[in-house]
Amino acid sequence: MEAIHSDVAEKPSIALSIASVLSRGQVIKNESNPKAHICRHLNQEARGCRYLVLWLDCDREGENICFEVIESTGFNINDVYRARFSSVTEKDVLKALDNLVRPNRDEALAVDARQEIDLKVGVAFTRFQTSFFQGKYGNLDSRVISYGPCQTPTLGFCVQRYLQINTFKPEKFWSLHPYIIQNGYELQLEWQRSKLFDINVAMMFQKLVAEDGLLEVTDISEKQETKGRPVGLNTVNLLKVASSALGFGPQVAMQLAERLYTQGFISYPRTESTAYPPSFDFRGALSALKNNPTWGNYVEGLLTNGYQKPRSGTDAGDHPPITPMRSAAEDMLGNDAWKLYQYICQHFIGTVSPDCKYIRRKVEFSIGGESFHCTGQHVITKGFTAIMPWLAINDKNIPSFIKGQKIEVSQVELYEGSTTPPDYLTESELISLMEKNGIGTDASIPVHINNICERNYVQVQAGRKLVPTTLGITLVRGYQSIDPDLCLPDIRSFIEQQITLIARGQVDHHHVVQHVIQQFKQKFCYFVKKIEAMDALFEAQFSTLTDSGRILSKCGKCLRYMKYISAQPSRLYCGTCEEVYYLPQKGTIKLYKELSCPLDNFELLICSMPGPEGKSFPLCPYCYSNPPFEGIEAIINTAKTSTSEGAHRISTTKERCPECDSSIIEVDFNKKTTPLEDGLTLHRGCILCDELLHSLVEMKHGRGFKHMRSRGRGRGARRGGYRGRGRGGWKNDGSKNEFPRFLSSDFLFIMSVDINYLC
């Protein structure tokens, strides 16, 4: 079976081969950072232990990580226990320790099912779309034309709003606005009918009101109303506020929140719960904030006069709402982190503050058979709005009236207006739509929004508004013309329903995966057959490869000039052969001395990498895209190749290597530093097969060649990192503290499998 890794979707494949991935592809899980050796570390730590107690997130993803840890440590399932807790207070931790349970295999399998479905579906559609459209159009400006069951409906929301704006037709309306003068105040009254869309009818009502001329006060009412304090803060609401009020994108907001969490200033920032557990220590949390110069006096008042219990929210069973854990100042955190921390603190203090109470006064009038009114309000208790002033109720005073009183109308205005289209979706509104339709989780929502931005499907404009690009609009319109289900949230809702059944143990994991994959395979095959419908939309919006780029170098097959297309992904296009040759995605591409590759006769290019440490290196476009023999990737994937002993001259000859058929090179060494015996300076050989030349070559790898499959085998350690147990590395002298330790949060991050970029 064909194996699928988490770093696929870069290199395209033909449709039939891609379709086989859906039905026969095998998913292989690997460490996200193999150099960290987390699995090995877990296995070593587990030696000599009798039991394993897992303290991980109390959700499905946490349950899945439990079984990854079990597999890494080799424990028997009968010796493994699970701690269930909803907060990290001492009381809850001790309670969880006294009530250990077994890990839930069904919930773990539900996560496996979601990962496999999303990965296979994303890989299949992404590979096909990328290979099909990038080989035909030159100005797509996107390296990967991706699809995902979460990502694409997210884009669909943005495009749907765009289409609503473009197809909107404004309509005129009219409204009556009578004015009166009472106790020296001029008031504009509101019409009970609000507005009319027929000018003749509106003018008729205006005439009736103007002819009557006297308003009669028909009713006066006063009512005390309450604006409730907020519930606990969860991740989704934090992201919405960060985007709409603080100006941070979801991805940046989560990075700031995670940094505040690791520094100990707030609780765990990934939570779906808005309800605090009964055992939560509110007094302790408030006491940690009472010395803060910004809101310390307000908190002191709550502790002295008594605080309120937060309103009941939703307990998702994962973590308590996001809560400040200790006091901080702006100079400790920096400007952006301080803004987010400040809001988290104000929100938490607001949840334990009294409700806001105000008096609402409404006066109703009648004239010419029509009803009008005016309203006023007066705040009597600020409550939580004192610490959250942006939610405050503004006082609005109106004059005193007496029931039955008659007042002369000073003027009757007939206001003319027009309906306006909705605005582009903001990030905050998009997050609400995703949450409502079950698209993504609190952890993956920022990733999906970031993906559609990075892949040039939408652009973030002023006010954090998401405006779809031509590519994003064309993609969604293409899906709608072929199979609308591919870009609607319904398809994700169906998957989540099946996932929930697996988590409850009501259906078999493999049966659900096979059933869903089979449905998507049918959709994929139909999509491939009908791709011309989407291609017609692309053809109307984008330039073909023939009309794109500039002439640069000669093709080795037809000896005609090829065009260089600088838009990502960078590539050369031969119009005669109708072939595309991909190039390094970073750096400047130029012609290299009009020299030709001895293997295929293509003109050589030189790539200059950006930055102060950037290197320049020559390459053959054909060899770069189609390595002619094993081992050439190591040479192509270098930014500089130099001999360690130094040479006056290096040149190729017409001779060929009998083993690999590459050109024999001739090296003229320096007399003083020649590695040859008897002081000889001239040496011929194959750079791949000749042991002397191969031992003298120093490879300095360039950056950005993601689609090349070669990886170095160097033994050097990461700068500042753990060097391992090799020669010159860490040595164990028997002390436990010599081995580097990892926090539980490290396990949670590294052990989880993240495939959101495909979704």
Side-chain angles (χ1 to χ4, degrees):
M1 292 187 290
E2 183 176 348
I4 305 177
H5 297 269
S6 61
D7 59 351
V8 295
E10 287 288 342
K11 195 170 184 179
S13 180
I14 59 176
L16 291 178
S17 175
I18 296 173
S20 67
V21 168
L22 284 170
S23 56
R24 300 194 303 272
Q26 178 185 0
V27 176
I28 300 174
K29 288 188 178 183
N30 292 322
E31 288 187 67
S32 59
N33 185 4
K35 293 183 179 180
H37 302 294
I38 295 298
C39 292
R40 186 180 70 183
H41 173 61
L42 286 172
N43 186 271
Q44 291 172 343
E45 290 294 305
R47 294 174 185 173
C49 297
R50 181 67 180 86
Y51 298 101
L52 174 64
V53 180
L54 297 161
W55 297 76
L56 297 164
D57 284 3
C58 295
D59 55 15
R60 293 178 187 172
E61 285 71 21
E63 214 68 24
N64 187 264
I65 298 172
C66 284
F67 285 90
E68 290 182 349
V69 175
I70 294 171
E71 182 180 353
S72 299
T73 55
F75 271 92
N76 187 299
I77 191 64
N78 295 323
D79 298 326
V80 179
Y81 295 90
R82 178 78 160 100
R84 296 279 183 182
F85 57 97
S86 58
S87 68
V88 290
T89 60
E90 181 180 359
K91 181 178 179 181
D92 274 19
V93 168
L94 293 176
K95 181 180 178 181
L97 191 60
D98 291 335
N99 297 275
L100 297 176
V101 297
R102 297 291 185 181
N104 191 324
R105 170 71 72 175
D106 292 328
E107 290 189 355
L109 289 175
V111 175
D112 285 338
R114 180 192 289 115
Q115 291 176 350
E116 183 172 352
I117 292 170
D118 289 348
L119 180 60
K120 287 184 175 181
V121 172
V123 166
F125 282 89
T126 299
R127 279 184 170 181
F128 176 71
Q129 291 178 169
T130 302
S131 62
F132 186 88
F133 291 114
Q134 280 190 352
K136 296 189 67 174
Y137 302 101
N139 58 341
L140 287 180
D141 196 23
S142 181
R143 293 186 59 190
V144 177
I145 305 176
S146 58
Y147 173 88
C150 287
Q151 170 194 295
T152 304
T154 301
L155 173 62
F157 290 133
C158 300
V159 175
Q160 181 183 12
R161 177 61 62 88
Y162 166 84
L163 295 176
Q164 289 175 354
I165 295 172
N166 273 24
T167 57
F168 183 83
K169 294 182 179 180
E171 190 176 0
K172 288 186 177 181
F173 65 85
W174 292 266
S175 180
L176 286 184
H177 288 165
Y179 288 85
I180 62 173
I181 298 177
Q182 178 75 356
N183 299 336
Y185 292 96
E186 184 180 51
L187 287 180
Q188 176 188 305
L189 305 184
E190 300 296 327
W191 194 15
Q192 187 177 9
R193 296 181 186 270
S194 183
K195 54 179 175 271
L196 295 175
F197 293 91
D198 190 322
I199 186 173
N200 294 323
V201 176
M203 291 177 66
M204 179 194 70
F205 283 120
Q206 181 190 27
K207 183 178 180 181
L208 289 174
V209 171
E211 288 178 350
D212 192 322
L214 288 178
L215 283 160
E216 181 180 357
V217 179
T218 58
D219 187 54
I220 301 175
S221 60
E222 283 190 359
K223 181 181 179 182
Q224 178 176 308
E225 297 189 0
T226 300
K227 185 173 184 178
R229 57 191 179 274
V231 296
L233 181 64
N234 63 7
T235 305
V236 170
N237 289 327
L238 176 66
L239 297 178
K240 289 162 63 176
V241 171
S243 177
S244 60
L246 304 181
F248 302 144
Q251 191 85 343
V252 174
M254 280 310 304
Q255 291 172 356
L256 292 172
E258 288 169 354
R259 193 175 83 190
L260 290 172
Y261 166 67
T262 56
Q263 292 175 342
F265 291 107
I266 64 172
S267 62
Y268 192 64
R270 298 187 186 276
T271 176
E272 298 179 7
S273 297
T274 58
Y276 284 95
S279 60
F280 192 87
D281 184 11
F282 294 102
R283 178 168 290 275
L286 287 171
S287 298
L289 303 175
K290 68 179 181 180
N291 294 325
N292 191 284
T294 306
W295 46 73
N297 293 335
Y298 184 89
V299 173
E300 188 69 40
L302 288 177
L303 291 172
T304 303
N305 302 323
Y307 56 86
Q308 305 291 319
K309 283 191 175 182
R311 291 166 50 202
S312 58
T314 302
D315 184 4
D318 48 1
H319 291 280
I322 304 171
T323 308
M325 304 305 295
R326 63 188 180 99
S327 182
E330 184 174 0
D331 56 353
M332 298 171 60
L333 304 178
N335 184 44
D336 291 347
W338 165 255
K339 288 181 181 179
L340 195 67
Y341 171 79
Q342 184 180 29
Y343 174 76
I344 293 172
C345 290
Q346 290 174 302
H347 188 102
F348 169 70
I349 298 171
T351 62
V352 294
S353 298
D355 293 335
C356 174
K357 297 180 180 179
Y358 60 98
I359 299 293
R360 183 180 180 87
R361 188 165 179 242
K362 183 177 181 180
V363 182
E364 298 182 13
F365 305 87
S366 176
I367 180 174
E370 292 299 298
S371 298
F372 300 86
H373 66 272
C374 66
T375 58
Q377 54 197 26
H378 173 66
V379 177
I380 55 178
T381 303
K382 287 187 175 182
F384 74 94
T385 60
I387 194 67
M388 304 176 74
W390 59 90
L391 297 177
I393 299 292
N394 296 321
D395 283 350
K396 181 182 178 182
N397 297 319
I398 59 174
S400 298
F401 294 93
I402 300 174
K403 188 175 182 180
Q405 179 181 359
K406 294 190 176 182
I407 306 168
E408 185 177 352
V409 177
S410 59
Q411 73 175 80
V412 181
E413 178 189 17
L414 183 61
Y415 172 78
E416 179 181 326
S418 295
T419 57
T420 57
D423 209 341
Y424 289 106
L425 278 180
T426 63
E427 285 176 329
S428 179
E429 292 170 336
L430 179 58
I431 292 170
S432 298
L433 285 172
M434 294 175 70
E435 181 186 27
K436 179 181 178 181
N437 290 275
I439 304 298
T441 64
D442 55 354
S444 64
I445 283 176
V447 178
H448 301 318
I449 297 177
N450 187 63
N451 280 344
I452 63 175
C453 294
E454 284 191 343
R455 290 167 188 174
N456 198 32
Y457 296 160
V458 300
Q459 292 179 343
V460 182
Q461 296 189 357
R464 310 298 303 180
K465 295 175 183 176
L466 300 172
V467 181
T469 63
T470 302
L471 176 57
I473 297 168
T474 307
L475 270 177
V476 172
R477 290 182 61 199
Y479 294 134
Q480 291 173 343
S481 65
I482 298 175
D483 186 353
D485 284 344
L486 293 175
C487 60
L488 292 176
D490 301 348
I491 196 168
R492 188 64 195 185
S493 299
F494 169 76
I495 294 175
E496 289 300 331
Q497 291 173 4
Q498 302 300 310
I499 298 299
T500 300
L501 294 177
I502 296 175
R504 294 174 180 173
Q506 297 177 359
V507 295
D508 179 67
H509 154 262
H510 295 288
H511 175 75
V512 169
V513 172
Q514 291 175 1
H515 175 69
V516 174
I517 291 297
Q518 184 60 31
Q519 286 191 329
F520 269 106
K521 184 178 179 181
Q522 294 175 359
K523 287 182 175 292
F524 176 76
C525 293
Y526 184 76
F527 179 76
V528 171
K529 291 179 181 178
K530 299 294 183 180
I531 192 63
E532 290 80 7
M534 181 181 282
D535 189 34
L537 297 173
F538 271 76
E539 188 175 354
Q541 298 293 338
F542 300 101
S543 302
T544 60
L545 289 175
T546 307
D547 300 328
S548 303
R550 59 182 176 85
I551 293 175
L552 182 64
S553 64
K554 286 184 179 180
C555 171
K557 296 181 180 179
C558 64
L559 300 181
R560 295 179 181 267
Y561 280 99
M562 299 185 293
K563 286 189 174 182
Y564 170 55
I565 302 170
S566 58
Q568 286 194 350
S570 301
R571 55 205 187 275
L572 286 173
Y573 173 68
C574 178
T576 304
C577 303
E578 295 186 350
E579 293 283 349
V580 177
Y581 305 100
Y582 289 90
L583 301 173
Q585 298 306 304
K586 294 181 180 180
T588 304
I589 301 293
K590 295 181 180 179
L591 197 63
Y592 183 62
K593 299 180 181 179
E594 296 185 0
L595 298 177
S596 298
C597 175
L599 295 178
D600 47 50
N601 208 30
F602 275 71
E603 281 191 323
L604 298 181
L605 305 175
I606 184 168
C607 178
S608 301
M609 305 302 290
E613 298 181 359
K615 307 294 182 181
S616 297
F617 62 97
L619 73 145
C620 166
Y622 186 86
C623 293
Y624 185 83
S625 297
N626 306 279
F629 46 81
E630 185 178 357
I632 197 172
E633 293 94 338
I635 298 178
I636 295 178
N637 200 27
T638 62
K640 182 179 179 182
T641 304
S642 60
T643 58
S644 59
E645 300 294 338
H648 287 304
R649 177 178 55 85
I650 303 177
S651 60
T652 59
T653 68
K654 295 183 179 180
E655 300 177 29
R656 316 292 293 186
C657 175
E659 296 185 13
C660 65
D661 198 38
S662 62
S663 295
I664 299 296
I665 67 171
E666 184 177 83
V667 182
D668 188 4
F669 290 102
N670 190 307
K671 291 182 179 180
K672 296 182 180 180
T673 58
T674 177
L676 302 177
E677 297 179 356
D678 301 327
L680 298 177
T681 59
L682 198 64
H683 181 79
R684 288 189 175 192
C686 172
I687 196 171
L688 294 177
C689 304
D690 189 283
E691 294 183 3
L692 173 63
L693 292 180
H694 195 72
S695 66
L696 297 178
V697 171
E698 176 187 355
M699 301 293 188
K700 296 190 177 181
H701 293 271
R703 303 173 183 174
F705 310 156
K706 292 185 178 180
H707 78 276
M708 302 303 293
R709 295 300 181 191
S710 62
R711 289 185 173 91
R713 291 190 175 183
R715 290 183 292 177
R718 293 181 300 171
R719 187 172 300 174
Y722 170 59
R723 293 189 61 188
R725 297 191 179 186
R727 191 173 302 169
W730 171 80
K731 297 180 181 179
N732 187 359
D733 60 359
S735 172
K736 281 187 176 181
N737 294 330
E738 289 296 324
F739 197 88
R741 293 289 173 182
F742 297 86
L743 299 175
S744 60
S745 59
D746 293 326
F747 292 148
L748 292 174
F749 175 75
I750 297 175
M751 295 298 294
S752 60
V753 177
D754 186 1
I755 61 168
N756 291 320
Y757 70 95
L758 283 173
C759 304

